[in-house]
Amino acid sequence: MLIDVILPFAVEGTFTYLLPDSCPAVPQTGQRVVVPWGQKKLVTGIVADVKTPMETGNLDIYKPVFSFPEDYPIVTSAQMKLWQWITRYYLCTIGEVMRAALPSDLREEKTSRQLKKPDSIGKIQSAHPLNEEQLRAKNEVQKAWKTTSTVLLYGVTSSGKTEVYIHLAQEQITQGKKVLYLVPEIALTTQLTDRLRSVFGDRLGVYHSRFTDRERVEIYKNVLAGDKYDILIGVRSSLFLPFNNLGLIIVDEEHDTSYKQQDPAPRYHARTTAQMLGSLFGAKILLGTATPAVETYYNALNGKYGLVEMKQRYAGLSLPAIHLLDLQRAYKQKKMEEHFSYPLVVRMREQLEAGKQVLLFQNRRGYNAYVECPECGYVPKCANCDVSLTEHKPLAPDMPSRLVCHYCGYSIPAPAVCPNCGQGIPVDRGFGTEKIEEEAVQLFPGARIARMDTDTTHTKNAHEKLIRRFADHEIDILVGTQMITKGLHFKDVSLVAVMKADAMLNQPDFRAYERAYQMLEQVSGRAGRAGTEGHVILQTSDIDNPLYAYLKKHDYEAMFAEQIEQRKMFRYPPFHRIIGLTLRHRELSRLEAASRTLYERLTRVFGTRCSSIIIPAVGRVQNLYIRQLTLKIEASASYAKAKEMLDAEVRYVKTLSPCKGTLFTIDVDPM
Ligand code: ADP
Ligand code: ZN
């Protein structure tokens, strides 16, 4: 007998092995299998198919399998279908999906541990009773599910969506179904898990990218056994757990960009994939957010999704008041203390004296922090990438600063004098969270100040500890990146300030405007969540931008109306679908030849649906030059057919001599 095996490699298709006659039982699809690979290596794969002897010819060419770690499948048939769908939709290999789907300990040849018996079953405690508005929303969601499997719950920040999710989840569980509660990468905080824990007890499972592999294997096996959890909260990769009997998938903060996997393949979106997973079980999908993705809201308005709204904050609180501060004028009138405008300083002092907390938001991403020599204008650059280096202050005062590349990690000690002219002393021109924190310490000497960004949250639990300290009011001022925008609830925050709100707008991305709105509305939503009046100060150099008028009125619909027009005009989603192609090579001339070859082939097939060759803003990363092409496919056309044609072209082009050695990646629905 022969078996086809999925191996965790980026190679096409499955691999065939011989099942020795000595094997006691015929393996089942989805079982793990250890097979020889190369001269003396063993790899763990998944049985994809068992072929009857009739289909087989000469068996000598096949290597025999080595062993089966278990005698039962660890990948269910629903998972197998999901894997296959992902390879087709996202144009990747099944091995790449396997790599993303299984914790690495399950992909290695290790003796598997016994499945743990479920702990004593905790009793479900009662959730908060819903108020009238929440009850209405819950009933409307259920009604909408009768006609569409996906419903958007569009509720303003702090409208009490979480409680509605909990009640809907409980109803599924009462019917004996399971619930998957998806959250964005960083939002999986103890705040939310504590709340769910108090309702679902140890019937709640948590799946996290920061868990150790051992922990992830254990959760995987618990989900497979099927009797341990009723509800599982997790990040996008929890879509790959071996569920059975799924009744509901909640996608919380559905607009969040961390739902899309960028690298490596599969470059899947959790919202799209959740809908596919749900359809395998006939499960319902609930998308929740205060700031829907433009595509999602469009689908809801057009009846593809159900739409349920919650326009009021819970307990009659009002949405925060938004104040704009014109940075250009403030600088001209010299009413600035470094990056803090006078009115901001005044309001912060006032709030701190009243015993309130302040959040300061500085988006580092998309903000060009760099170092420059004031004498000759020299800017130190990365040796491997076309980007300027960013200054990182030392951990201890007697250590030197370093200049770091945010793309590849390359770093050098900050030069004391300019290496170009030997005269000037290079100065930090950008400003990130570090700089804001430093300035805040100077301006508010009595206040307890902390910073939350990727630098301060490297270690396990650092993020949660910071949030807990802030929630317990052990910190007065928290400076942070977009990490602080996500779904957090702090009762004493009365003031939120955005240090430079227009920084997010100046990006060459058709979603930049939408993202800026979402981020600013979400960060504003952290203010005034428990009885205190909330205020938001947006400092901006671009005060006439209509974005701010929308934000002041919390008018998502107006922002949407403007954006949807633009999307239509410039052939973007939801009117067109986009596929991004990236080519990389060490040698620029070879890369350019390969790009031209692909471009010519694609324009022959796709005409003007193929863009011209794009040189990205950062044109070289880790010594590889980069070129891009974009395909725009009409929403009315067959996406599957277009992808098939694209796939065939890319495969063919790879075999041509100008393209040898070039790396190709395909990103379906890029973000
Ligand atoms: P959202 O997810 O819409 O931003 P939350 O679900 O976090 O809002 O609710 C905001 C606050 O209101 C939270 O502190 C929550 O505990 C409280 N809350 C919401 N609904 C209820 C309820 N039915 N009973 C008691 N407290 C509630
Ligand atoms: Zn670099």
Side-chain angles (χ1 to χ4, degrees):
M1 231 177 248
L2 294 178
I3 59 170
D4 287 339
V5 179
I6 302 167
L7 294 177
F9 306 134
V11 200
E12 204 65 38
T14 53
F15 299 82
T16 307
Y17 286 87
L18 182 69
L19 192 67
D21 293 334
S22 60
C23 195
V26 178
Q28 303 168 57
T29 303
Q31 229 176 288
R32 286 205 298 168
V33 56
V34 180
V35 294
W37 183 255
Q39 286 310 305
K40 31 179 166 329
K41 256 181 82 178
L42 291 174
V43 288
T44 303
I46 297 293
V47 176
D49 198 9
V50 183
K51 291 176 183 167
T52 63
M54 265 134 65
E55 296 171 32
T56 61
N58 177 15
L59 300 180
D60 297 347
I61 58 169
Y62 301 110
K63 286 185 186 166
V65 304
F66 183 76
S67 68
F68 294 97
E70 301 92 359
D71 56 6
Y72 54 89
I74 66 143
V75 176
T76 65
S77 65
Q79 279 178 295
M80 210 61 111
K81 282 185 199 143
L82 186 72
W83 290 16
Q84 274 150 4
W85 174 82
I86 290 174
T87 62
R88 285 194 305 275
Y89 189 91
Y90 290 106
L91 300 179
C92 60
T93 71
I94 192 114
E96 286 169 325
V97 184
M98 175 186 166
R99 209 151 47 183
L102 297 182
S104 62
D105 275 4
L106 284 179
R107 287 187 268 113
E108 278 153 28
E109 212 278 306
K110 285 193 181 147
T111 44
S112 70
R113 293 185 299 145
Q114 279 289 327
L115 284 187
K116 268 187 34 175
K117 280 265 172 292
D119 299 345
S120 61
I121 293 163
K123 236 183 123 213
I124 291 179
Q125 297 158 21
S126 59
H128 293 308
L130 299 181
N131 70 9
E132 212 172 298
E133 172 78 349
Q134 289 168 319
L135 210 54
R136 177 194 55 78
K138 194 198 91 182
N139 291 336
E140 280 184 22
V141 168
Q142 282 169 322
K143 204 169 140 216
W145 272 336
K146 296 207 167 101
T147 44
T148 54
S149 54
T150 301
V151 173
L152 168 64
L153 177 60
Y154 164 36
V156 298
T157 54
S158 203
S159 54
K161 295 184 288 295
T162 316
E163 264 348 284
V164 176
Y165 303 152
I166 289 174
H167 281 254
L168 288 166
Q170 282 185 324
E171 290 185 6
Q172 291 294 325
I173 294 164
T174 317
Q175 293 166 33
K177 301 264 175 87
K178 309 279 183 198
V179 176
L180 171 60
Y181 189 138
L182 288 175
V183 288
E185 198 58 56
I186 208 70
L188 188 46
T189 58
T190 39
Q191 281 196 342
L192 183 55
T193 45
D194 285 354
R195 176 76 197 105
L196 295 181
R197 181 77 65 204
S198 74
V199 177
F200 298 104
D202 60 6
R203 305 294 296 162
L204 173 77
V206 181
Y207 197 73
H208 212 280
S209 54
R210 270 171 299 182
F211 278 165
T212 65
D213 215 69
R214 254 181 110 84
E215 289 168 316
R216 274 189 272 171
V217 170
E218 181 161 337
I219 294 160
Y220 189 97
K221 293 198 163 180
N222 282 334
V223 174
L224 184 65
D227 52 2
K228 172 123 175 112
Y229 311 127
D230 290 325
I231 175 167
L232 191 124
I233 181 169
V235 296
R236 62 166 189 263
S237 57
S238 54
L239 286 165
F240 291 116
L241 289 169
F243 295 103
N244 54 64
N245 208 10
L246 207 51
L248 169 63
I249 306 177
I250 297 161
V251 185
D252 194 9
E253 312 289 355
E254 67 85 29
H255 64 279
D256 198 285
T257 50
S258 76
Y259 278 131
K260 167 82 175 174
Q261 171 145 322
Q262 303 290 355
D263 263 314
R267 297 179 177 79
Y268 65 102
H269 197 293
R271 189 200 305 124
T272 314
T273 309
Q275 288 173 329
M276 185 60 208
L277 178 65
S279 76
L280 293 172
F281 292 97
K284 307 297 182 205
I285 312 289
L286 184 61
L287 310 176
T289 177
T291 53
V294 164
E295 290 92 323
T296 300
Y297 194 58
Y298 180 81
N299 282 335
L301 290 182
N302 286 282
K304 193 173 164 200
Y305 301 163
L307 175 61
V308 177
E309 299 186 38
M310 292 169 78
K311 299 237 176 220
Q312 300 296 324
R313 280 190 151 185
Y314 181 76
L317 297 181
S318 45
L319 284 166
I322 310 241
H323 312 276
L324 299 180
L325 192 285
D326 184 346
L327 276 177
Q328 287 193 8
R329 217 170 76 194
Y331 274 113
K332 225 176 276 162
Q333 297 178 342
K334 304 214 175 341
K335 290 187 174 165
M336 294 291 290
E337 293 271 5
E338 311 235 29
H339 295 97
F340 291 71
S341 61
Y342 284 3
L344 174 57
V345 176
V346 170
R347 188 148 323 232
M348 281 179 72
R349 293 226 164 96
E350 188 186 288
Q351 294 306 310
L352 293 171
E353 271 161 30
K356 297 294 177 190
Q357 289 172 293
V358 178
L359 268 180
L360 298 178
F361 175 69
Q362 170 60 19
N363 185 35
R364 178 154 28 189
R365 210 172 63 183
Y367 199 84
N368 200 9
Y370 63 102
V371 176
E372 189 182 53
C373 169
E375 296 297 323
C376 72
Y378 171 78
V379 176
K381 294 253 166 66
C382 176
N384 313 316
C385 314
D386 286 346
V387 291
S388 350
L389 298 173
T390 304
E391 184 167 357
H392 281 232
K393 291 280 179 304
L395 294 171
D398 53 338
M399 280 161 63
S401 290
R402 292 192 79 79
L403 303 183
V404 181
C405 170
H406 281 183
Y407 282 76
C408 74
Y410 169 87
S411 83
I412 53 170
V417 291
C418 173
N420 188 46
C421 67
Q423 312 235 317
I425 299 162
V427 289
D428 194 349
R429 289 292 192 205
F431 71 107
T433 40
E434 244 176 51
K435 186 87 173 66
I436 299 300
E437 184 192 17
E438 232 176 71
E439 294 176 12
V441 169
Q442 297 294 319
L443 286 167
F444 308 98
R448 296 162 297 176
I449 301 172
R451 170 163 63 96
M452 184 155 95
D453 55 28
T454 41
D455 294 335
T456 63
T457 54
H458 270 323
T459 53
K460 205 182 167 181
N461 303 332
H463 176 248
E464 286 176 1
K465 264 186 223 150
L466 263 175
I467 287 175
R468 207 164 267 191
R469 280 175 55 214
F470 193 59
D472 292 346
H473 207 141
E474 288 167 26
I475 297 166
D476 301 309
I477 303 173
L478 183 63
V479 184
T481 55
Q482 51 259 55
M483 264 185 200
I484 62 175
T485 63
K486 299 195 180 175
L488 297 169
H489 186 83
F490 306 110
K491 61 182 192 331
D492 288 345
V493 174
S494 59
L495 177 63
V496 170
V498 179
M499 305 310 289
K500 191 164 168 51
D502 48 305
M504 281 164 272
L505 286 169
N506 309 325
Q507 290 187 52
D509 178 345
F510 74 92
R511 287 196 176 90
Y513 200 87
E514 172 194 353
R515 294 234 180 99
Y517 183 91
Q518 287 162 340
M519 207 176 272
L520 294 172
E521 181 67 38
Q522 292 285 350
V523 75
S524 305
R526 300 315 112 206
R529 288 174 71 99
T532 11
E533 205 184 339
H535 287 272
V536 180
I537 297 181
L538 304 180
Q539 300 194 133
T540 172
S541 311
D542 184 17
I543 193 138
D544 296 324
N545 197 307
L547 179 79
Y548 302 115
Y550 303 148
L551 281 163
K552 270 187 92 119
K553 290 191 271 177
H554 300 283
D555 194 350
Y556 170 86
E557 287 82 352
M559 185 282 296
F560 172 84
E562 186 188 303
Q563 282 305 296
I564 204 80
E565 277 309 308
Q566 304 250 327
R567 299 283 189 96
K568 195 174 211 162
M569 196 146 46
F570 298 109
R571 298 194 294 156
Y572 281 118
F575 305 100
H576 281 70
R577 306 187 200 236
I578 297 188
I579 303 175
L581 292 137
T582 304
L583 297 86
R584 294 184 174 82
H585 201 290
R586 259 172 196 278
E587 285 173 51
L588 189 55
S589 59
R590 286 188 156 261
L591 178 70
E592 284 176 338
S595 311
R596 268 196 308 276
T597 310
L598 181 62
Y599 168 75
E600 278 159 21
R601 295 279 322 182
L602 290 183
T603 42
R604 220 172 295 164
V605 177
F606 292 99
T608 56
R609 293 181 187 87
C610 180
S611 73
S612 43
I613 298 167
I614 302 159
I615 305 174
V618 178
R620 186 180 57 123
V621 171
Q622 291 193 302
N623 287 317
L624 295 175
Y625 290 94
I626 307 169
R627 291 292 180 271
Q628 290 168 331
L629 288 168
T630 305
L631 280 190
K632 288 181 179 171
I633 310 294
E634 299 88 328
S636 55
S638 162
Y639 203 21
K641 183 82 199 144
K643 282 188 281 192
E644 231 170 74
M645 285 154 68
L646 170 66
D647 200 31
E649 286 303 320
V650 172
R651 272 165 209 270
Y652 175 69
V653 161
K654 279 182 183 170
T655 66
L656 300 178
S657 63
C659 300
K660 288 273 156 64
T662 300
L663 302 170
F664 291 81
T665 47
I666 303 181
D667 191 355
V668 175
D669 307 336
M671 298 268 300

